[in-house]
Amino acid sequence: MRATFARLCIALALVSTPQLFSATATSHLTRAEMEVFLRTAPIVKHKELGTGVTHSIRATLSDGKIQHDAHIQQIDESKTTFQTDRGTELNFRDSWKFNIAAYRLDQILELNMTPMSVERSALGKSSAVTWWLDDTMMELDRKKKHLEPPDQDAWNRQMYVVRVFDQLIFNTDRNLQNLMVDTKEWQIWMIDHTRAFRMRTDLQEVKNLARCDRKLLAGLRKLDLAALRGLKPYVTDQEIKGLLARRDKIVKFFDNAIGAKGEAAVLYDTPQR
């Protein structure tokens, strides 16, 4: 009964909304309707992706009227210590749950730079099911093809947001394969956050904090336990505590930079996505 109602809701989506992704077949859907689709549409085919170490899956979902692909991640591992190329990490976690937390935090901050991700039992396991981004390429492939953005300043401003976001969530696995680029609109999308939301209260790379979007900084100032309630149960109380401590350091860093350099040299405004 619920699935039938959800399909009906999707089919009756008549309100014109801004196109969130470049998939023409689903461009009329609102973000909420896309989430319903991800949660309820049957999986008609799937295959394991060859990239990454989490054995993630690309699946095609269809409710009979709409068809779209999704990225399914099911990894959920915890280790006291874990050796990475950056050294030994304590209290290591690699979890599908963090994809959903990252999406929800992205929405709280009104970035709209991560694709929607929902919890669902998929192929017999609890999973993060994430909207597949059509008409995009990995940043790795963009660099290999020597494709350059037409507006370098606009590109840099997006990258500043990525860097602030990664410091906020203590993302230990940002690389050129989990940044996606829409080369028509030249928009950057952040994906795959399974190794983030650490309990640590320090910042990974302060040097990555160069400039900050004005609205993002204002959003960071407003973050508190009440605002972050929507991240649970995908992150723990300790992980939220770590995030807020890092937020304090990020805000202090930019406040100090503004005091030293002036607001115009540090803050900027970007159009709403």
Side-chain angles (χ1 to χ4, degrees):
M1 185 68 179
R2 289 182 181 177
T4 301
F5 177 74
R7 294 188 190 104
L8 182 61
C9 288
I10 293 174
L12 293 178
L14 298 175
V15 180
S16 178
T17 58
Q19 184 170 332
L20 298 172
F21 304 106
S22 53
T24 27
T26 53
S27 62
H28 67 290
L29 298 180
T30 65
R31 188 173 285 268
E33 289 162 343
M34 290 177 177
E35 290 183 21
V36 171
F37 177 80
L38 288 175
R39 288 193 184 97
T40 62
I43 297 172
V44 296
K45 62 180 180 180
H46 66 277
K47 64 177 180 179
E48 186 172 311
L49 293 173
T51 58
V53 297
T54 61
H55 305 290
S56 58
I57 297 164
R58 179 171 182 170
T60 299
L61 282 60
S62 176
D63 64 358
K65 295 182 174 65
I66 297 169
Q67 179 171 297
H68 195 84
D69 284 3
H71 183 200
I72 298 176
Q73 287 179 293
Q74 301 174 319
I75 191 164
D76 192 19
E77 296 180 351
S78 299
K79 297 181 180 180
T80 305
T81 61
F82 183 74
Q83 190 66 37
T84 72
D85 56 359
R86 300 177 184 180
T88 301
E89 182 177 343
L90 303 178
N91 301 313
F92 172 81
R93 288 189 69 193
D94 194 349
S95 177
W96 59 266
K97 298 176 184 178
F98 295 150
N99 274 335
I100 301 171
Y103 166 60
R104 293 188 176 189
L105 181 59
D106 169 283
Q107 292 301 286
I108 291 169
L109 295 171
E110 298 182 12
L111 302 179
N112 293 320
M113 291 182 68
T114 68
M116 69 232 18
S117 189
V118 303
E119 179 181 2
R120 172 178 176 174
S121 177
L123 308 173
K125 291 185 179 180
S126 295
S127 312
V129 180
T130 304
W131 193 265
W132 191 271
L133 297 170
D134 290 320
D135 301 325
T136 62
M137 67 172 63
M138 290 187 296
E139 172 67 351
L140 178 67
D141 293 330
R142 180 192 75 82
K143 285 182 171 291
K144 286 181 178 179
K145 294 180 179 181
H146 304 289
L147 297 175
E148 296 298 329
D151 186 338
Q152 189 64 51
D153 184 59
W155 175 266
N156 290 341
R157 292 182 178 203
Q158 291 183 80
M159 286 302 304
Y160 294 144
V161 172
V162 172
R163 290 166 184 161
V164 171
F165 191 73
D166 281 345
Q167 293 303 304
L168 179 65
I169 66 174
F170 210 101
N171 186 5
T172 64
D173 192 36
R174 179 66 68 209
N175 58 67
L176 298 182
Q177 294 186 78
N178 55 37
L179 281 178
M180 305 299 294
V181 182
D182 174 353
T183 54
K184 292 181 180 178
E185 300 294 332
W186 285 98
Q187 291 184 333
I188 299 171
W189 294 96
M190 300 180 284
I191 65 168
D192 195 356
H193 298 95
T194 65
R195 295 184 178 183
F197 293 95
R198 296 334 198 196
M199 292 183 287
R200 293 177 58 168
T201 59
D202 58 329
L203 300 177
Q204 283 193 94
E205 297 286 351
V206 177
K207 65 182 181 182
N208 286 344
L209 299 177
R211 301 186 66 193
C212 189
D213 177 84
R214 191 185 312 273
K215 186 176 179 180
L216 171 56
L217 185 58
L220 291 174
R221 295 188 196 278
K222 294 177 183 177
L223 289 182
D224 56 20
L225 290 175
L228 297 174
R229 190 179 297 120
L231 272 57
K232 300 180 71 173
Y234 304 106
V235 293
T236 66
D237 289 339
Q238 283 298 111
E239 287 159 352
I240 289 178
K241 183 179 179 181
L243 186 151
L244 287 172
R246 294 190 297 273
R247 181 282 308 271
D248 290 344
K249 288 182 171 61
I250 293 170
V251 170
K252 183 179 180 180
F253 174 88
F254 284 118
D255 282 345
N256 289 341
I258 291 168
K261 303 176 183 178
E263 189 173 285
V266 178
L267 302 183
Y268 59 90
D269 298 295
T270 51
Q272 181 71 36
R273 284 176 59 157

